[in-house]
Amino acid sequence: MKTILVVGIGTGNPEHLTIQAVNALNRADVLFIPDKGESKAELADLRREIIARYVTNPSSRVIDYAVPRRDAGNPDYKTGVDDWHGAIAARFAKLLDEVPDDGAGAFLVWGDPGLYDSTIRILERLRADHVVEIIPGITSIQALTAAHGIALNRIGQPVHITTGRQLGPVNDDTVVMLDGQTAFLDADPGLDIYWGAYLGTPDQIVISGRLGDVREKIVETRQQARARHGWIMDTYLLRQPG
């Protein structure tokens, strides 16, 4: 039976890899690298750098694959995502044909496979003639709090993790991911914000302060960074002051 390794690689720093992740990559006969187009070539290049630095298995192969695009124009977000995942699953099925019987293939997943990544769910759509192993990775949330030098939670208090699309009133400390809509612009300006982009990389940017005082700076910084790189990954924490 084939083994599929879903390996968390952290948020952009090759030194984020755990020993468990390095060992998993060296077990793989085939290493899969997603190609999301020229504008996000850095993401594929980082995976190649990780492989070049840590993989010593002389018999392993690297296979690039094009990632289907989601139809952002579909007014039904959930249906659009489901269709998109179906297209990726079909691509994965062909990739797994490249894995030898009783061999292993590895997907290198940004951050951690269990946090706002769909690789696990997509693999569940495929026929069950393989075993899936998950190797956790450092998340953007961990990189964010480390960059700002803060604890994620306050003593005895909960933390809420959501997306920009689902951001509502902030009562508990709230981490927001996947916020292409800059939903923080509609949040209470009296909140404290800890924002970061390209976390863990040499291009890391962090801004913090009272939301009403820094939100325009974040928007401007974000726009400039996206224009410079062609892509952006950012995360932030909102919390009541005090």
Side-chain angles (χ1 to χ4, degrees), residues 161-218:
I161 302 174
T162 188
T163 65
R165 190 182 296 272
Q166 297 293 330
L167 180 62
V170 175
N171 298 310
D172 299 324
D173 290 1
T174 299
V175 175
V176 184
M177 307 177 69
L178 304 176
D179 184 16
Q181 303 83 26
T182 56
F184 59 82
L185 290 175
D186 296 322
D188 178 357
L191 294 169
D192 289 335
I193 186 170
Y194 298 87
W195 176 86
Y198 311 105
L199 291 158
T201 76
D203 299 311
Q204 175 175 286
I205 310 168
V206 292
I207 297 173
S208 64
R210 179 180 175 273
L211 179 58
D213 296 334
V214 300
R215 59 187 175 187
E216 296 302 329
K217 179 181 179 181
I218 292 173

Side-chain angles (χ1 to χ4, degrees), residues 16-239:
H16 280 180
L17 254 71
T18 64
I19 295 172
Q20 184 186 22
V22 172
N23 289 339
L25 294 179
N26 277 288
R27 287 172 53 197
D29 299 283
V30 187
L31 301 152
F32 301 116
I33 296 182
D35 179 0
K36 297 186 177 182
E38 185 176 350
S39 65
K40 294 185 177 180
E42 289 179 63
L43 304 181
D45 290 343
L46 175 73
R47 288 172 167 88
R48 293 189 185 95
E49 180 183 347
I50 286 171
I51 291 170
R53 182 183 294 201
Y54 296 116
V55 176
T56 57
N57 179 356
S59 63
S60 65
R61 294 186 296 136
V62 174
I63 295 180
D64 294 1
Y65 68 96
V67 179
R69 289 177 175 267
R70 179 174 68 85
D71 180 9
N74 190 328
D76 187 329
Y77 175 74
K78 289 186 177 180
T79 298
V81 169
D82 186 65
D83 291 344
W84 178 45
H85 286 178
I88 298 175
R91 190 68 48 86
F92 279 11
K94 293 181 179 179
L95 291 175
L96 297 188
D97 288 339
E98 300 290 336
V99 179
D101 292 339
D102 298 320
F107 290 93
L108 284 69
V109 172
W110 203 265
D112 179 85
L115 183 64
Y116 286 109
D117 181 84
S118 297
T119 304
I120 298 171
R121 281 188 290 269
I122 292 168
L123 287 169
E124 289 173 348
R125 292 173 175 244
L126 304 181
R127 60 186 186 278
D129 59 353
H130 56 263
V131 175
V132 176
E133 294 184 21
I134 312 299
I135 292 82
I138 291 176
T139 69
S140 60
I141 299 173
Q142 293 165 285
L144 177 72
T145 56
H148 283 284
I150 59 172
L152 174 61
N153 66 295
R154 290 189 276 195
I155 297 174
Q157 298 301 308
V159 175
H160 181 57
I161 302 174
T162 188
T163 65
R165 190 182 296 272
Q166 297 293 330
L167 180 62
V170 175
N171 298 310
D172 299 324
D173 290 1
T174 299
V175 175
V176 184
M177 307 177 69
L178 304 176
D179 184 16
Q181 303 83 26
T182 56
F184 59 82
L185 290 175
D186 296 322
D188 178 357
L191 294 169
D192 289 335
I193 186 170
Y194 298 87
W195 176 86
Y198 311 105
L199 291 158
T201 76
D203 299 311
Q204 175 175 286
I205 310 168
V206 292
I207 297 173
S208 64
R210 179 180 175 273
L211 179 58
D213 296 334
V214 300
R215 59 187 175 187
E216 296 302 329
K217 179 181 179 181
I218 292 173
V219 170
E220 181 179 356
T221 301
R222 193 179 188 281
Q223 290 173 341
Q224 292 173 351
R226 187 183 186 99
R228 184 166 60 250
H229 292 278
W231 61 278
I232 189 167
M233 288 186 182
D234 58 337
T235 305
Y236 57 90
L237 168 67
L238 294 173
R239 62 175 28 153

